[in-house]
Amino acid sequence: MSVLSAARAAAPLNGTVPSLRRVARTTPGVVVLVALAVVVCCAVAAAVCVADLNHRIAEHNTVLQRSEPFAYAAQNLYAALSEADAAAASAFLSGGIQTAAMRERYQQAVAAAAAALTDVTAGATDEDLRTAVADIAAQLATYTGLVEAARANNLQGFPVGSAYLREASALMQNELLPGAEQILARDLAAVDAGQRSVGSVSTVSIVLLSLLLIGTAVGSWILARRTNRQFNLGLMVAAVCVLVAITWIVVATRLAAADIERSRSEGTARIEQLAKARILAQRARTDETLQLIGRGDITAGEQSFQAHIDELLAQLDAGPPAAVSGIQRWTASHQKHVQAYLDGDYPAAVSQAIGSDPGASAAQFGIVEAGLRDEVEKTRAALREHVSTAGRALAWSPVGTLVLLALAGVATVLGLWPRLKEFL
Amino acid sequence: MNARVVAALLAAVTLAAGCSSSPAPPTAVTVAPATVTPAGAHGITAAPARADEECDREASLRPRSQPAPGAMPSGSTMAAIAERGRLVVGVDQNTYLFGFRNPSTGQLEGFDIDVAREIARAIFGDPDRIDLKVVDASQRESALTSGKVDVVVRTYSVTCERRRSVAFSTVYFYANQRILAAKGSGIDSAADLADKRVCAVTGTTSLSTLFAMEPRPALVGVATWTDCLVMLQQGQVDAISTDDAVLSGLNRQDPTVEITGPPSLAVEPYGVGINKDHEDLVRFVNGVLEQMRADGTWQRLYDRWLLGLGPSPGPPAARYQDP
């Protein structure tokens, strides 16, 4: 039974092609075909353009609500870990003086690292990233254990305490920090990819709309030949609507792209640079304190310190000036500490490195770190502001495109209806 | 017949339901425990550089008539030091009992430091007129040849290779290479080390001695002796082997280990390092050491610092290359 009905349904289908040709030979048939073609094209173009624009807006939301906060958390994780390492070394060195304050700084840094780790975990969706985060969590627990072993031995006056602290620092420098650096790099890459897809050129939309525009022109030309009327008002209105839609999309995406470009050059790239600078400063600080903890040859430590400072200054070509001048005063103080150490005046070297004198290394390093941290915050705010502005430029474009293309479709139908009616 | 169909249907339905209701769980992340080693720790498989040349390494220059403190012969190296007002000495601050920083006073103390003070006393009549410069083991020769320091008193083993670039005083202390291992580890001789992991500082004569052992233990080289103790405490190595003076300092920091093995795997003679061009200073320092041996000063310093190594063997006898 069903086989029979299928055969019956197939019969008119077999005649479709010749009947379409027949329809195209009659003027009302042409009018209907042009109207149908323009309306279908409008619908397809509207669907594609709106999907593309909505996708951009969704990406912009992802950047603001997910990838940028995750990258910020990763940056915080890296900074907190390096600060914990520098603070552990200072607290160890301080022995009797200032232990409470320095130990508190270490504990604060560990807590900040744990908090940042939680935020980073929220952004870790794929298995690789989750494994990297789990590695850091396991290593951080081991690290704090080693720091406490160092402290317990130091309290008893055993030099092996310093060996435990150096082992902890090696774990930090060789495992924890490179792991955190990887996470930061991946998160920043995600931000960059999101930014690029917000600001990319919408080729498909513009090509489709241009084809639609050509379609209405061709339709007008066919109708003009068949109906002896110069212009069809409906098709004219449709063409104008499409033209406005094209202009809107081009202008909105170009404006967004300009904002995105600024958010990348003034934001992402700068944050990467500042994060690197912050880490270099902490590493140089760790070099400086480890020299005093090692109590041996400082040649290798000095080379590492100088290399970190040189790289740091190279990263800070564009300021901030407070940090740059802080680095100069810090290295001057560092030279005094090295001189005291080489002269065998160990207590003077320690007090130059970690003492509370405002001209000494600890205070100057504090100025450098605070300057960089503030700059990171400022840059972050600028990045988010630019991405936000890009989002505002795009905000009404999907609705606008939809309305304009709907108008184009309606205008086409309304414009062609009187031509069709002449034959009914 | 129907019952069989129903049963088969039921089975199929149960199977289908079972399949669809247990999707594979998302993979849980697993990580290995964090592994830690001291920075720079590495397995030693290549022979450490060691000069095998033969020489009478312990023979030094015989002292001449010893000038009184404050009356150095004019034109001599000692007169130049007296002129400057202070004796500049290269020392260590990391070897417990020989040259180390007392955590409670922040001062450098130890057997080596006191020997240096005796030299200052012989020049100025005042043991405190010294400048202590911290030099690393690998910098000892360059500090002397560049004139940065006048003398180096820093657990400085006399070797034929070193004698080619610097001069040494007579031997003021004999150290013996021994073994430090956990109590009850069963390590009691060099042969017991055969299949064990043994730690030593890279570039030391102790490491060369260990490398030459037959059969050779698995060797780990690190940067400082306390790194070895960390690895021993963390179970990463089974034993440490070096001079008893160093091992005794490590043993003081951990009551669960003990110095064991034969009385001496190798003998390390410690001498005062001096610039090769300053023969007069070599003779003068040898004169100071003679006096320390004779008047009981050496014994007093041993009793103050090194009694933990065992009863005093007495000061080492001086050997001279000239009559």
Side-chain angles (χ1 to χ4, degrees), chain B residues 175-253:
Chain B
N176 292 299
Q177 181 170 353
R178 299 199 64 194
I179 300 166
L180 188 76
K183 282 178 183 165
S185 65
I187 296 174
D188 209 22
S189 67
D192 291 335
L193 292 179
D195 52 353
K196 297 288 196 294
R197 296 159 300 170
V198 183
C199 181
V201 169
T202 312
T204 56
T205 42
S206 307
L207 187 58
S208 307
T209 309
L210 288 169
F211 195 86
M213 278 182 180
E214 230 20 273
R216 182 187 306 147
L219 297 178
V220 178
V222 293
T224 73
W225 291 110
T226 43
D227 286 341
C228 278
L229 184 57
V230 166
M231 292 188 86
L232 186 62
Q233 290 179 343
Q234 291 176 338
Q236 300 184 53
V237 296
D238 303 301
I240 306 169
S241 177
T242 185
D243 302 353
D244 48 4
V246 174
L247 292 183
S248 160
L250 295 179
N251 198 3
R252 287 260 194 110
Q253 304 174 46

Side-chain angles (χ1 to χ4, degrees), chain A residues 112-134:
Chain A
L117 196 56
T118 314
D119 286 346
V120 167
T121 314
T125 42
D126 64 304
E127 199 178 337
D128 278 359
L129 201 53
R130 282 192 296 147
T131 308
V133 173

Side-chain angles (χ1 to χ4, degrees), chain B residues 80-103:
Chain B
I81 295 168
E83 180 94 351
R84 191 197 304 138
R86 295 182 94 74
L87 175 69
V88 184
V89 189
V91 295
D92 189 11
Q93 55 176 358
N94 235 356
T95 303
Y96 203 42
L97 305 176
F98 276 81
F100 69 105
R101 196 168 290 284
N102 184 332

Side-chain angles (χ1 to χ4, degrees), chain A residues 127 130-131 134-135 139 142 146 157-160 163-164 166-167 170-171 294-295 297 299 341-344 346-347, chain B residues 27 29 31 34-39 93-94 101 106 132-134 136 139 224 226-227 229-230 233-234 236 252-253:
Chain A
E127 199 178 337
R130 282 192 296 147
T131 308
D135 267 326
Q139 286 158 356
T142 309
L146 290 173
F158 294 159
V160 73
Y164 271 103
R166 277 183 286 121
E167 190 180 50
L171 174 65
R295 292 188 183 175
D297 178 28
T299 320
Y341 181 88
L342 291 177
D343 289 345
Y346 185 75
Chain B
T27 35
V29 165
V31 290
T35 50
V36 288
T37 49
Q93 55 176 358
N94 235 356
R101 196 168 290 284
L132 299 174
K133 298 251 184 201
V134 175
D136 187 62
Q139 292 177 320
T224 73
T226 43
D227 286 341
L229 184 57
V230 166
Q233 290 179 343
Q234 291 176 338
Q236 300 184 53
R252 287 260 194 110
Q253 304 174 46

Side-chain angles (χ1 to χ4, degrees), chain A residues 32-34 41 49 62 85 93 112 116 129 132 138 145 151 219 233 244 247 252 307 341 344-345 353 360 387 398:
Chain A
V32 167
L33 283 180
V34 168
C41 284
C49 293
T62 307
D85 202 32
L93 254 189
L129 201 53
R151 184 164 170 259
L233 188 64
V244 172
T247 317
Y341 181 88
D345 193 351
V387 173

